[in-house]
Amino acid sequence: MGEKKIVRRIRVNLDKCNGCRACEMACSAFHAKPKYSSINPARSRIRVVTDEINDEYVPIRATDYSKAACDGRRVYTVNGKEYSECSFCGTVCPARNLFKEPDSGLPLKCDMCEDDPPQKEPLCVQACSLDALTYEEVEEVVEEQVKADELEIGLKSLVDKYGVKKIAESFARISQKSL
Amino acid sequence: MRYAETGYTLEVDLSRGNIERVETDPKLTELFLGGQGIAAKILFDRVPPDVEPFSPDNLLIFSAGLLHGTPIPGANRTAVNTISPQTNLLAHSLMGGFFGPELKYAGYDRIVISGKAPDLVYLWINNDKVEIRDASHLRGKGVHETTKLIRKELNEPSAQVAAIGLAGENRVYTASIEHGFASAARGPGPVMGDKRLKAIAVRGTKDLNIARPAELFNLCIQLRKKMAESMDVGDWMAVDEDDSFHHNNFAWGNARTRIKDYWSEELQERWTNWKYDNMLRQKGCYNCSKKCINVISYKGRKFGYKCYGKDTYHMAAFKELDFTYEILPFTMEYGLDSYSTPQVIAFGIELYEAGILTDKDMPDFPTDSGERVFYLMEKIVRREGIGDILANGVYHAARQIGNGAEAYDHNTVKKFEQLPIKLGKLNPPYFLMIATGEKMAITQIEGSFPQDPLPTIEEREAFVNKWKEVVPDDKFLKWFMEWEKRNDISNEASCAITDWNEAMHFLDDSLGLCGFLSSFRGQFGGGVVYHVNNMPEIISLATGMEIDKEGLWKTFQRIRNMVRAVNIKRGMRRADEKPPEDHWAVRDHEFEQQLLDEYYDFKGWTKDGIPTKETLDSLDLGFVSEEFLQRGILTGNEGTPSKEAPTEKEQEQKSGGC
Ligand code: SF4
Ligand code: SF4
């Protein structure tokens, strides 16, 4: 049985997007440590998939992590323009260089800009002056389901890369050092 | 740690294939900010005056602005500077889009390109990894096709690419460098072609640090809000379909014919339909909520345009908007500047009509004016036949053709094609701006003080209400409130207005801000987002550098004189500082020369337009005055016009002035 919950959602209207990437800028600033201390769109958890010549601008957010790439072969035509299915997909996968920390390669994930006190809207929505991104909170019945957070996703990707044993050993070593 | 800037210059020597990442002196930023300011200093230091523009020793510099990559909205204008083959002076060139910020994220504030590649190459900058790659397979390819192919072969869809087309490869003087739907004109295109550099691709994934993060971010939220809500910034031509202003007032053809009642409602409706029936989107540049670029798909060809760029081709051809839609996809792929190219073409057509050029020069020249424009465009980009001469721009072509052609070169200043504007009475600040400007196009010089007085006191008050926040000094409000007739304004005001207008551009072009939010836009509407009153705080928060309004103004003067120094060293003098003879119908030579004297006085320049030793030294440009003394450009004893042993007559004429 599901239970009633507030679902936080970002709606995307491609027709309103001017391709400015202010959303990327703001996201990377918010997630910098300390907050706003550096800008780097490559660290953003929202990216605008852009092909100017095809007039393609699709803001997508990092969602799940997958160790394997899908075949990504589907092509959609919308209003006479062709989009690869990857343009709409927020999964962090080996097939492309999106939503990976530039230094470590670890996967990124949109956390809706969790903050204390909470932000009125996620930062990308705040930065988008054109309402291509809008924020809403709706009450919905949802299936109980544990969503992996960024730390867990990151660990999982390390496990995929090095194997559980190696990670466990390293973890033990690091914990000892920092005791 | 360096803030807002990366602290590195990428030096690329194409002759030797040498690539170096060089740390820069923070002092340079304090003195010249970044962008064009630092580029001018580098060109002064490293390109001696006897170096020809098409010499391997000429430098081609792509600069990010000081504020690129920070959260400051609309900081995205990349400056491209070199010595222009057309003017033999500093080329002033800017492009919007995404290139400068990406360069910052790759870890560089600028790219300085020297030498000449043995064959066509492109540069691939991927953070610390930089390679010069073969581009022979891209020869002759259009700029968008080139961009596509490069992204594909690098497997890097996020790479930002700036490229030249066939025009640049063939060193056509009016060639541009194209980046997305933005383009850098007025000189660097042919130099890039001469260096056999087809393109630069850049991808950056590094952090750019901010000095006072939370404060700057907060300020940016406010700026962004103001930008989004205001009609006083961005390009109003993207949304206002009434373009009677350009069509009724600007000159058609070879900058000659005015059609005062051209515009009509019927025409506006037809053109509006052409646009919206074929428009895919209105696009912005990096981190800017404005939508200045119209992206059009016409007859299956995609292209983008901004501002007056939508008018130039059909006005050169005496055609309608659909003609521009026909030709822009081609000129864009070829990489041609849409301001100067149509003028060269219209000049060629006029020479044909005058019998100076004949069927021998132009075999099978069509009769339709539109087909003629296509014909000459194709000849020019290939430098074929007469195209080889027209490709050198109006000034040089006129002299090469001779036989009376010189008289048809009536709209150039400092050898560069000007906007086709022909007016009645003199506008004194415009006289000064066109005469003394070194950015070669009035749109790059004017912009903060309105072009004309407003008719009623109420209208003036409404304007001033928004404008008062952005003026550097209240005297501008007074001058504007009291201004009744265009030609009737004090010399004191004309000098100060010219100076302020220029200040905004020089600051924008060093900080990397877009003129549509700042330097170009105050004249229309008054409420710009960036101005000398808030720039100091913005710079301080981003860079950590302490700077106040006075300091910023001095920095502008320093950069202004640095640019002038580059050109003075290359021989530019007072004799070059004159607007086209027919720019205004009514001229008064004596008054104009007196005004020019007063302006030189005001700027601390000699009677010949050279910054005096005193001026240079007071702006920390001692290295310039020293070199000027060594070269005999200055003796060190010069004063400004009013202070250098004036004749009696001049003494009499000297007003309190500026
Ligand atoms: S900020 Fe808005 S308009 Fe700009 S790219 Fe992101 S979604 Fe598009
Ligand atoms: S105001 Fe227009 S041209 Fe300027 S940065 Fe913004 S979108 Fe680009």
Side-chain angles (χ1 to χ4, degrees), chain A residues 17-23 48 59 128 130 132-133:
Chain A
C17 176
N18 80 340
C20 70
R21 299 171 50 203
C23 44
V48 186
C128 181
L130 296 170
L133 306 176

Side-chain angles (χ1 to χ4, degrees), chain A residues 135-154:
Chain A
Y135 177 68
E136 61 181 25
E137 290 177 357
V138 280
E139 214 182 19
E140 262 183 20
V141 179
V142 287
E143 288 298 322
E144 199 55 65
Q145 168 187 33
V146 188
K147 278 265 181 190
D149 65 8
E150 195 166 271
L151 172 68
E152 203 176 319
I153 286 184

Side-chain angles (χ1 to χ4, degrees), chain A residues 14 17-22 25 29 35-43 47 52-53 55 57 102 123 127 129-130, chain B residues 69 71 98 105 160 180 205-210 213 217 224 228 280-281 283-290 302:
Chain A
L14 301 190
C17 176
N18 80 340
C20 70
R21 299 171 50 203
M25 182 285 297
K35 222 179 258 172
Y36 312 121
S37 62
S38 65
I39 310 292
N40 182 356
R43 285 192 204 281
R47 293 298 302 279
E52 281 183 313
I53 299 145
D55 189 51
Y57 305 92
L123 266 281
S129 314
L130 296 170
Chain B
F98 300 79
Y105 300 132
Q160 296 299 338
T205 64
K206 295 191 191 188
D207 296 349
L208 189 77
N209 299 311
I210 307 299
F217 203 82
R224 190 179 295 287
L280 296 174
R281 182 182 308 268
K283 226 192 97 42
C285 307
Y286 179 69
N287 194 15
C288 179
S289 60
K290 292 291 155 184
K302 293 196 185 83

Side-chain angles (χ1 to χ4, degrees), chain B residues 187-209:
Chain B
V191 173
M192 189 153 162
D194 184 63
K195 297 200 173 303
R196 302 200 182 93
L197 180 62
K198 177 71 178 171
I200 303 177
V202 53
R203 174 76 183 123
T205 64
K206 295 191 191 188
D207 296 349
L208 189 77
N209 299 311

Side-chain angles (χ1 to χ4, degrees), chain A residues 73-173:
Chain A
R73 278 191 209 122
R74 275 153 292 264
V75 171
Y76 298 92
T77 300
V78 185
N79 266 341
K81 277 182 292 185
E82 278 190 357
Y83 296 82
S84 140
E85 71 175 307
C86 299
S87 295
F88 299 105
C89 172
T91 304
V92 193
C93 86
R96 63 177 177 183
N97 221 345
L98 216 56
F99 303 131
K100 291 170 188 163
E101 278 285 358
D103 308 325
S104 61
L106 289 176
L108 296 160
K109 184 175 163 51
C110 167
D111 60 0
M112 297 294 260
C113 297
E114 259 167 38
D115 203 6
D116 185 20
Q119 292 281 337
K120 65 175 186 337
E121 287 173 337
L123 266 281
C124 59
V125 179
Q126 289 185 38
C128 181
S129 314
L130 296 170
D131 289 339
L133 306 176
T134 46
Y135 177 68
E136 61 181 25
E137 290 177 357
V138 280
E139 214 182 19
E140 262 183 20
V141 179
V142 287
E143 288 298 322
E144 199 55 65
Q145 168 187 33
V146 188
K147 278 265 181 190
D149 65 8
E150 195 166 271
L151 172 68
E152 203 176 319
I153 286 184
L155 266 176
K156 189 159 178 297
S157 80
L158 287 175
V159 167
D160 290 338
K161 200 162 168 191
Y162 300 104
V164 175
K165 194 156 164 260
K166 212 145 176 212
I167 298 297
E169 282 167 9
S170 306
F171 181 73
R173 218 170 30 244

Side-chain angles (χ1 to χ4, degrees), chain B residues 67-81:
Chain B
L67 299 177
H68 284 189
T70 72
I72 310 286
N76 53 45
R77 282 292 176 283
T78 306
V80 192
N81 299 102

Side-chain angles (χ1 to χ4, degrees), chain B residues 218-500:
Chain B
N218 262 328
L219 179 67
C220 289
I221 292 175
Q222 292 161 31
L223 292 170
R224 190 179 295 287
K225 198 164 169 284
K226 180 166 178 196
M227 265 168 69
E229 287 164 0
S230 172
M231 283 296 289
D232 294 347
V233 287
D235 180 11
W236 73 98
M237 278 183 74
V239 283
D240 186 356
E241 301 310 324
D242 175 358
D243 195 4
S244 52
F245 175 73
H246 292 106
H247 292 88
N248 291 349
N249 294 311
F250 281 35
W252 297 61
N254 183 26
R256 241 187 254 280
T257 317
R258 272 175 79 181
I259 313 179
K260 286 191 179 165
D261 49 4
Y262 179 79
W263 200 258
S264 69
E265 264 177 41
E266 176 272 328
L267 180 114
Q268 180 165 328
E269 198 187 316
R270 191 148 36 87
W271 288 24
T272 305
N273 289 339
W274 270 330
K275 174 175 161 185
Y276 289 96
D277 289 350
N278 295 294
M279 192 174 80
L280 296 174
R281 182 182 308 268
Q282 289 180 316
K283 226 192 97 42
C285 307
Y286 179 69
N287 194 15
C288 179
S289 60
K290 292 291 155 184
K291 305 194 279 186
C292 302
I293 303 152
N294 300 283
V295 183
I296 306 284
S297 174
Y298 188 70
K299 300 191 178 165
R301 301 189 190 97
K302 293 196 185 83
F303 61 95
Y305 63 79
K306 204 175 81 204
C307 197
Y308 181 58
K310 90 166 204 288
D311 298 338
T312 53
Y313 280 101
H314 67 250
M315 286 183 72
F318 292 94
K319 291 271 177 185
E320 293 201 21
L321 180 66
D322 58 336
F323 178 73
T324 293
Y325 282 13
E326 291 276 352
I327 200 167
L328 274 185
F330 295 94
T331 59
M332 201 182 57
E333 284 296 338
Y334 285 144
L336 282 168
D337 169 29
S338 53
Y339 283 67
S340 47
T341 315
Q343 291 207 34
V344 184
I345 291 175
F347 162 78
I349 295 173
E350 216 181 51
L351 290 184
Y352 179 83
E353 277 163 0
I356 297 175
L357 291 175
T358 64
D359 287 326
K360 234 174 76 207
D361 307 295
M362 285 130 113
D364 306 316
F365 197 46
T367 48
D368 175 75
S369 63
E371 283 170 35
R372 286 177 162 184
V373 172
F374 266 98
Y375 174 102
L376 287 178
M377 174 195 69
E378 295 288 352
K379 296 270 183 225
I380 287 171
V381 293
R382 293 185 173 73
R383 277 192 174 273
E384 211 173 75
I386 191 66
D388 191 28
I389 292 172
L390 293 175
N392 296 336
V394 171
Y395 175 90
H396 296 285
R399 276 135 198 96
Q400 278 172 276
I401 294 165
N403 199 16
E406 294 91 336
Y408 293 78
D409 160 29
H410 70 114
N411 198 40
T412 57
V413 176
K414 293 170 186 158
K415 306 181 184 161
F416 200 86
E417 293 82 9
Q418 300 298 303
L419 280 185
I421 305 171
K422 301 293 159 194
L423 301 163
K425 286 199 183 124
L426 186 87
N427 182 331
Y430 272 76
F431 170 82
L432 287 179
M433 286 188 278
I434 299 171
T436 65
E438 284 160 85
K439 302 208 167 192
M440 302 311 168
I442 190 65
T443 53
Q444 310 294 314
I445 303 166
E446 66 179 351
S448 293
F449 197 92
Q451 300 178 5
D452 276 308
L454 285 172
T456 66
I457 294 287
E458 291 70 43
E459 283 169 277
R460 285 176 216 168
E461 272 168 357
F463 178 82
V464 159
N465 211 15
K466 284 191 275 180
W467 195 50
K468 59 180 188 279
E469 252 182 69
V470 314
V471 298
D473 190 295
D474 285 351
K475 66 188 178 196
F476 291 98
L477 305 176
K478 185 171 167 287
W479 286 326
F480 185 69
M481 285 305 296
E482 290 168 359
W483 195 21
E484 300 278 347
K485 283 195 209 129
R486 179 199 289 162
N487 57 330
D488 190 11
I489 188 161
S490 74
N491 287 359
E492 182 193 1
S494 294
C495 292
I497 289 167
T498 300
D499 203 40
W500 173 32

